Amino acid sequence: KRQAFELIKFREHGDGLLGGKKERRRFSICSLRTFNGDYLMVNSRDKHTRGFLLREAAQIGSEPAVFSSRIEFLVPRAMRSARPMPRQLVVTKDHVCIVEEKVVDGLVQHALVSKIDVAAIKDLAMSPYQDGWTVVHLMSQPDLVFNCEFKTEMLTWLNSVSQGRIHLQVNSTISYNNKNMKSTQIKFVKNEAVQRAVFEKKTVQVCSGLPAGTRSQTIRDRPAGSTASRPKPQQQQQRATPTAGYNAPAAARQINGNANVQKQQRATPAPQPVQSAVQSTAPSGSSRRPSAPPPPPPPAAMPKHPRHKALFDFSDANSGMLSLEAGQLYEVLEKNDSGWWLGSRNGVEGWIPSNYLSPEPEAASHQAPHAPVIPPPMAMRNNPTGDVDNQQLDSMAQLAAALASRSPSNN
């Protein structure tokens, strides 16, 4: 608990470094988001892991990595404008390293692109928008320009290892020194048509994010009983049992009434008697039509975000990420090139590794469930109008008379 509390305080310190000057991204303030630091596992001692190969390429020896992540590094080109290329960023207490990873003849190779001292960093500069582009201003050497998904965490670690010396500058136009030590500028503009930040010709287009003053959410325990209980199926109506006081001869006298009574019954339906064995064999004398069948169920709600199936189990309770269960579906709220996606299941959001999910989303069903076909009532199958004709009245009278002759009072 003490370690978790320290991570929360460290994250709150990162919010304070932004100073309410930069827009936030949705998964940057997620309650399960914690500052893990070494995302590329550079501190691994296993020689067969990718992190160990990055450590060897960065030439940091036994220095522990406080932060590592994938980035898009702005690479200068001869006679052409610079363009962002994938690179690996490794930060220790004394150095900041940029490592290139490429495949040559089917083998993965790593090469050190740049290695600078933390003491040579003057400050960091970012835009006031939600993008992750960062300019690292250096002393007497070309500046570093790259896009990092975990920009707030990177800033917090650099501020920590420099004993609070490195701070953040926020501006929509940032100047930096290129490889020839010539001053150039990078501009940031709003464009709501783009989903991700787009770099083109020294201009970054980015859509609006959360307000700049938005604070990171704290980890909360899941409330008890938050899982919605399944609705109970409606209980079927039980059949009414015949009433002991039902008088069959009285029913016969009512059926054999004059025509005026019949007309009155047609105009004003009489109260329907309690269901009995007579009603199970003879049609009802009431002219009331059956109620309309219930409407079909509404179509199933379509998922707002794509759902991917988990291929493997994943559990990382200490880092606060979202655990995965193989075979279950998870909504992917947002994807990024760092390899970690913002996922959700049962209302809980968190980070999930993209290589643990199926690459293709599951196809959602567009068909609504079919409503059950309700058969018409027995009395309406042969008489759709609902009126009681003379033939039916005669049949009912004969049946009632037969029942009356068999009653004990006539014996």
Side-chain angles (χ1 to χ4, degrees), residues 224-244:
S226 60
T227 304
S229 58
R230 295 183 179 179
K232 296 182 179 180
Q234 297 181 356
Q235 296 181 355
Q236 298 181 354
Q237 296 181 355
Q238 298 180 356
R239 294 184 178 179
T241 57
T243 306

Side-chain angles (χ1 to χ4, degrees), residues 1-309:
K1 292 183 179 180
R2 180 178 180 181
Q3 183 180 5
F5 178 75
E6 292 177 355
L7 291 176
I8 294 175
K9 297 297 292 183
F10 192 67
R11 186 186 182 192
E12 292 178 351
H13 177 61
D15 292 344
L17 292 176
L18 295 180
K21 302 178 181 179
K22 186 173 178 61
E23 293 182 353
R24 308 300 303 274
R25 290 182 301 174
R26 180 179 180 182
F27 52 85
S28 295
I29 65 171
C30 178
S31 60
L32 295 180
R33 171 78 169 95
T34 57
F35 286 178
N36 304 313
D38 186 16
Y39 293 96
L40 303 181
M41 306 299 292
V42 178
N43 293 327
S44 175
R45 297 300 178 181
D46 189 354
K47 297 182 179 181
H48 301 285
T49 60
R50 176 186 180 187
F52 184 84
L53 297 178
L54 288 175
R55 167 178 289 276
E56 293 293 322
Q59 302 175 7
I60 57 177
S62 59
E63 293 183 62
V66 296
F67 179 80
S68 63
S69 174
R70 296 187 181 96
I71 61 173
E72 290 180 303
F73 185 69
L74 195 61
V75 179
R77 299 184 297 174
M79 305 301 294
R80 290 181 294 178
S81 60
R83 68 173 183 178
M85 298 294 292
R87 295 291 186 266
Q88 322 298 323
L89 174 66
V90 179
V91 179
T92 67
K93 293 182 178 180
D94 299 324
H95 299 94
V96 175
C97 307
I98 308 294
V99 179
E100 178 184 5
E101 184 180 75
K102 56 185 178 180
V103 179
V104 179
D105 297 333
L107 299 177
V108 179
Q109 296 183 2
H110 298 82
L112 182 62
V113 176
S114 177
K115 183 177 182 180
I116 61 175
D117 296 334
V118 173
I121 300 177
K122 294 189 296 184
D123 57 47
L124 269 64
M126 298 182 186
S127 77
Y129 310 129
Q130 65 165 339
D131 63 282
W133 282 95
T134 305
V135 175
V136 181
H137 290 134
L138 304 176
M139 301 177 183
S140 304
Q141 52 183 312
D143 298 328
L144 304 179
V145 183
F146 54 84
N147 180 25
C148 180
E149 295 287 345
F150 307 121
K151 56 187 181 300
T152 306
E153 182 175 358
M154 176 194 63
L155 169 65
T156 308
W157 282 111
L158 288 176
N159 178 267
S160 177
V161 298
S162 64
Q163 305 298 324
R165 182 181 58 83
I166 299 177
H167 290 279
L168 176 67
Q169 295 183 4
V170 179
N171 202 327
S172 59
T173 301
I174 302 176
S175 300
Y176 68 96
N177 294 328
N178 60 14
K179 66 174 183 178
N180 298 323
M181 294 300 294
K182 293 183 178 180
S183 178
T184 185
Q185 290 183 339
I186 178 173
K187 298 181 180 179
F188 299 84
V189 296
K190 281 288 189 71
N191 186 359
E192 304 301 336
V194 299
Q195 299 294 328
R196 292 174 49 84
V198 178
F199 180 92
E200 186 177 3
K201 296 180 181 180
K202 299 179 182 179
T203 301
V204 177
Q205 303 180 28
V206 58
C207 62
S208 299
L210 298 177
T214 305
R215 304 286 295 183
S216 299
Q217 301 175 0
T218 58
I219 300 177
R220 298 187 299 266
D221 295 333
R222 189 174 181 183
S226 60
T227 304
S229 58
R230 295 183 179 179
K232 296 182 179 180
Q234 297 181 356
Q235 296 181 355
Q236 298 181 354
Q237 296 181 355
Q238 298 180 356
R239 294 184 178 179
T241 57
T243 306
Y246 179 75
N247 193 352
R253 289 193 298 270
Q254 181 181 0
I255 296 174
N256 291 328
N258 54 33
N260 294 332
V261 177
Q262 295 179 6
K263 294 180 180 180
Q264 185 179 2
Q265 289 179 352
R266 295 180 184 180
T268 305
Q272 189 175 3
V274 181
Q275 295 181 357
S276 63
V278 177
Q279 291 182 338
S280 63
T281 57
S284 174
S286 174
S287 61
R288 182 183 300 173
R289 297 190 179 186
S291 59
M302 299 298 297
K304 186 178 180 180
H305 302 280
R307 298 189 302 172
H308 293 254
K309 180 182 292 186

